Amino acid sequence: MVRLDDNGDALIRVRNLDKTYRRGGQDVHVLQGLNLCVDEGDFVAFMGPSGSGKTTLLNLLGGLDLPTAGSITVAGDEITRLSGPKLANWRARHVGFIFQMYNLLPVLTAFQNVELPLMLTRLTKPQRRRHVETALALVGLGDRTDYYPRQLSGGQEQRVAIARAIVADPTFLLCDEPTGDLDRRSADEVLALLSALSSRYGKTVLMVTHDPRAAERAEVVLHMEKGALVEGTTSGPERSGPASKPAER
Amino acid sequence: MKYFALIWSNLRRKKVRTTLTIGSFAVALFLYGLLAAIQTAFNQGVEVAGVDRLVVRNKVSLIMPLPVSYRERMLQIPGVKAVTYATWFGGYYQDPKNFFPQFAVYKETWLKIYPEFKVPRGEWEAFLQDREGCIVGRKTAERFGWKIGDRVPLVASIFGGVWEFNIRGIYDAARSEDDTTQFWFRSDYLEERRAWGKGMVGWYVVQVADPNEAARVAEAIDGRFANSPWETSAESEKAFAAGFVKQVGNIQLLILVIGGVVFFTLLLVTGNAMAMAVRERTAELAVLKTIGFTDASVLWLVLGESVAYALQGGVLGLAAVKLFTLRGDPTGGLLPVFYLSPGKMALGLALTVAVGVVSGIIPALLAMRLKIVEALRRV
């Protein structure tokens, strides 16, 4: 369950998170004193206007960027204390990223794209093959292993990207507008897949989206504004209602 | 090695650029190989020079002769083990363009002093028995299709007329860098037929008993003939050969300058190609980092790509130039020992890798320092 208070046993704990950028000689406070706890298996959607800090939060949670102040702890690791190769290794072990533009490597086949995270492990080639085939089968592309991204539709590309994100069995998935570049049907397929990963396989999914229909798939929708969480709601008829309140600062 | 597929895929991304970059390397390494072979040809005399041999020439100039009587007098100098002599004949076969070196040699000691030249005993015996006999190097024999028993006419541009010789033997060399284009005939035949300069020889070659004493023996030889009408200049064979090369010009410097310019240009070409490749793939490199590739692995990936360009082109260029040099002297006699040694090939390969690394290092560092968030924002 997503909470703004801290009971100490959450998978992801965000404490007093600040992120400030310097632009044109001025400080821009993108995140301000943000607090958040996410339990294992949660499917959380972050919504909010452009510039509200959603993607910045996602980047910080994924260890792609470092906060100006505050801390992020994931499964007991305080990632805000990590840097360089340690942070890269942490990302490889714990985070699966899904981007709006899929970001597949065009010169690699679907199989090779999905295999990329496994190249950072000590798995043998046959073991890697088994993992990749399983991941591609899970996203329904077991018959497209040798296809290059240009030979796939947008929805298929995103499913390959999901396979790449889950192949190394990360602790959680971070999705930045995963349906933003897809038609409705493909978007529904991708969202169904993300829902299944959360509900059936217990994967923790954090998703940034502008699309209310995409957000509906999440268990919890958190709204952000001016770098802070302003409102939280549970999604779905059986779960509707307030999930959280804005953090007290 | 598991990143090889990734590097290989990136090389195939822009086929035209890859082909042109590899082509640049191939051309540069071909040129390097040619220059190296030319340098070897020029330095061949220096490299193969015997440490126990002195060359004694007329102090005024190499083209001035020395009396044949000097041989006996040199033999009396302590430390001298053997003495032989030769005279430049300067002829040609059928056409002045058919150049190859011909020497009238002192048959009694020539082979003893040059043991690196191998002549079958029977053929040498036949040469000793025939005043008009000659021994031809393997390359020259193959060049003109000569075989033992052939009678060969040479036009003597120095001594005049057409001289005929019987090929009594073909010599080979112990080492690949030894010259097998020479043509030897008997000095007594020259002495008999020439109309002028009788009793004179071109130069002497002295074998010393102890190579450590070579300088002292050379000094003794020059001292013995000082203040005579034909003063001598004795020096080690290596110094003599080096001096000969210097007369042509500073080949070493020329080759270094040309080679340096070629490799520097190559550096710019490959550096540019790699910089473009990295710039175009900023987002992809960011994705690699996002999924857990460390900064160092991204650096090695880019460097690996740069070196892969270099190695493919380098191997191609070196293979081509090796094939070219296997055909032998392309100048028709000016570069008798024209070949690319394994050492020079290894050096070429090392240079290739070095250029690959240097040209890729800046793009690789840029890729390494790439900020993921900023790079992803550019997608």
Side-chain angles (χ1 to χ4, degrees):
Chain A
M1 189 61 195
V2 175
R3 296 176 305 278
L4 300 179
D5 59 326
D6 185 3
N7 69 355
D9 59 355
L11 176 72
I12 301 169
R13 294 161 61 203
V14 178
R15 287 280 140 264
N16 303 317
L17 199 65
D18 277 7
K19 182 65 187 178
T20 304
Y21 289 113
R22 189 144 186 94
R23 276 194 201 126
Q26 288 197 326
D27 286 340
V28 180
H29 300 284
V30 185
L31 294 177
Q32 301 179 66
L34 192 138
N35 291 295
L36 180 69
C37 285
V38 178
D39 287 337
E40 193 170 351
D42 282 350
F43 186 175
V44 183
F46 294 94
M47 293 194 77
S50 295
S52 59
K54 307 182 298 292
T55 297
T56 300
L57 176 61
L58 218 60
N59 290 339
L60 293 172
L61 289 171
L64 301 182
D65 204 356
L66 292 171
T68 312
S71 69
I72 300 170
T73 307
V74 178
D77 295 328
E78 190 176 336
I79 64 165
T80 37
R81 287 174 184 261
L82 302 176
S83 62
K86 282 185 181 169
L87 192 56
N89 291 333
W90 177 84
R91 279 198 302 272
R93 278 188 291 119
H94 293 286
V95 196
F97 289 91
I98 299 161
F99 305 94
Q100 178 180 354
M101 301 304 295
Y102 335 126
N103 284 355
L104 299 178
L105 271 61
V107 290
L108 301 183
T109 62
F111 183 95
Q112 290 169 322
N113 266 291
V114 176
E115 192 187 18
L116 277 175
L118 299 181
M119 291 168 84
L120 303 167
T121 67
R122 291 184 179 177
L123 294 177
T124 61
K125 199 169 180 182
Q127 287 172 324
R128 293 205 301 269
R129 172 166 286 280
R130 275 200 301 277
H131 279 71
V132 172
E133 283 170 352
T134 304
L136 280 170
L138 195 70
V139 299
L141 291 175
D143 57 344
R144 296 283 192 275
T145 54
D146 294 329
Y147 281 52
Y148 286 92
R150 64 177 180 277
Q151 297 168 311
L152 299 169
S153 68
Q156 288 172 328
E157 278 195 77
Q158 192 60 301
R159 282 193 277 157
V160 172
I162 293 172
R164 182 178 66 186
I166 61 172
V167 72
D169 193 22
T171 308
F172 64 109
L173 298 177
L174 293 178
C175 318
D176 191 359
E177 300 276 8
T179 58
D181 203 46
L182 297 177
D183 59 54
R184 194 66 261 162
R185 189 170 155 224
S186 300
D188 286 342
E189 285 172 4
V190 165
L191 290 167
L193 197 52
L194 292 175
S195 295
L197 286 171
S198 171
S199 59
R200 202 177 305 161
Y201 299 99
K203 275 284 162 238
T204 307
V205 181
L206 305 180
M207 176 175 71
V208 162
T209 183
H210 277 111
D211 180 2
R213 288 182 62 178
E216 276 176 16
R217 298 278 190 153
E219 294 165 357
V220 177
V221 182
L222 297 177
H223 292 269
M224 293 187 69
E225 211 164 276
K226 294 180 181 173
L229 290 167
V230 292
E231 182 188 356
T233 52
T234 53
S235 179
E238 73 285 3
R239 296 179 297 186
S240 61
S244 61
K245 288 182 179 177
E248 294 294 331
R249 281 189 279 135
Chain B
M1 277 306 286
K2 59 184 174 183
Y3 296 148
F4 179 76
L6 191 53
I7 292 173
W8 183 246
S9 302
N10 280 327
L11 290 180
R12 290 183 303 154
R13 180 188 298 256
K14 301 269 184 186
K15 290 192 176 72
V16 173
R17 185 163 69 203
T18 300
T19 307
L20 290 176
T21 310
I22 289 174
S24 308
F25 267 99
V27 170
L29 265 294
F30 187 89
L31 189 58
Y32 157 83
L34 268 187
L35 293 174
I38 291 169
Q39 188 198 24
T40 302
F42 273 97
N43 285 342
Q44 168 265 344
V46 181
E47 284 165 12
V48 301
V51 291
D52 62 346
R53 291 195 291 252
L54 298 175
V55 175
V56 183
R57 61 174 176 84
N58 191 304
K59 191 177 179 180
V60 176
S61 162
L62 180 61
I63 60 168
M64 300 294 286
L66 290 169
V68 71
S69 60
Y70 276 18
R71 198 185 89 84
E72 290 301 325
R73 293 172 69 185
M74 282 186 211
L75 279 169
Q76 292 162 10
I77 295 171
V80 172
K81 189 176 167 188
V83 179
T84 195
Y85 55 79
T87 303
W88 180 258
F89 184 65
Y92 61 84
Y93 176 62
Q94 292 179 339
D95 189 297
K97 282 187 284 188
N98 290 336
F99 171 83
F100 55 98
Q102 307 113 31
F103 307 134
V105 303
Y106 181 54
K107 63 183 175 15
E108 304 302 329
T109 49
W110 184 253
L111 270 194
K112 286 178 194 155
I113 288 184
Y114 287 105
E116 60 266 41
F117 295 129
K118 307 294 179 192
V119 185
R121 181 184 290 272
E123 293 176 18
W124 187 254
E125 290 297 329
F127 170 68
L128 295 179
Q129 298 301 317
D130 182 1
R131 184 181 286 267
E132 296 181 3
C134 68
I135 300 285
V136 188
R138 175 76 57 194
K139 274 187 188 167
T140 295
E142 286 173 356
R143 180 181 170 197
F144 297 117
W146 291 343
K147 53 189 186 303
I148 293 171
D150 283 358
R151 190 158 173 83
V152 177
L154 293 187
V155 178
S157 46
I158 297 173
F159 298 101
V162 174
W163 296 43
E164 292 195 345
F165 300 93
N166 304 313
I167 297 179
R168 293 301 175 199
I170 293 174
Y171 79 84
D172 287 294
R175 302 164 296 189
S176 56
E177 58 268 38
D178 288 321
D179 180 10
T180 55
T181 65
Q182 297 173 17
F183 177 105
W184 309 326
F185 65 97
R186 289 170 46 164
S187 55
D188 50 350
Y189 180 44
L190 174 70
E191 189 66 12
E192 179 189 290
R193 275 203 58 178
R194 69 181 179 183
W196 52 274
K198 285 186 184 291
M200 305 298 278
V201 300
W203 65 90
Y204 286 94
V205 181
V206 173
Q207 189 176 34
V208 293
D210 178 3
N212 294 325
E213 291 287 297
R216 186 194 58 75
V217 174
E219 205 174 315
I221 291 170
D222 288 346
R224 173 66 60 92
F225 303 110
N227 301 316
S228 72
W230 295 283
E231 288 190 314
T232 61
S233 170
E235 58 191 341
S236 69
E237 193 174 67
K238 197 176 270 291
F240 174 79
F244 210 78
V245 174
K246 268 188 186 167
Q247 286 177 7
V248 182
N250 197 338
I251 299 295
Q252 187 90 11
L253 180 69
L254 192 69
I255 286 172
L256 270 176
V257 168
I258 295 173
V261 168
V262 168
F263 275 96
F264 183 71
T265 310
L266 194 60
L267 213 67
L268 298 180
V269 169
T270 322
N272 186 44
M274 285 311 299
M276 280 200 290
V278 167
R279 204 161 44 241
E280 287 165 2
R281 297 211 308 270
T282 301
E284 289 175 30
L285 293 169
V287 169
L288 289 179
K289 286 186 169 192
T290 300
I291 61 180
F293 281 69
T294 59
D295 290 347
S297 15
V298 170
L299 174 107
W300 287 116
L301 273 177
V302 176
L303 268 186
E305 204 174 309
S306 179
V307 171
Y309 272 128
L311 274 178
Q312 287 182 79
V315 168
L316 203 67
L318 285 173
V321 76
K322 183 68 186 174
L323 284 175
F324 184 77
T325 56
L326 285 178
R327 295 168 55 207
D329 178 11
T331 63
L334 287 176
L335 305 170
V337 180
F338 186 77
Y339 81 108
L340 190 59
S341 69
K344 291 274 167 58
M345 286 188 76
L347 179 66
L349 218 51
L351 277 172
T352 303
V353 173
V355 171
V357 169
V358 173
S359 59
I361 194 73
I362 292 177
L365 284 172
L366 290 175
M368 187 184 89
R369 290 174 187 158
L370 196 70
K371 298 269 184 243
I372 301 175
V373 174
E374 288 171 19
L376 287 176
R377 208 177 285 145
R378 291 184 222 160
V379 178

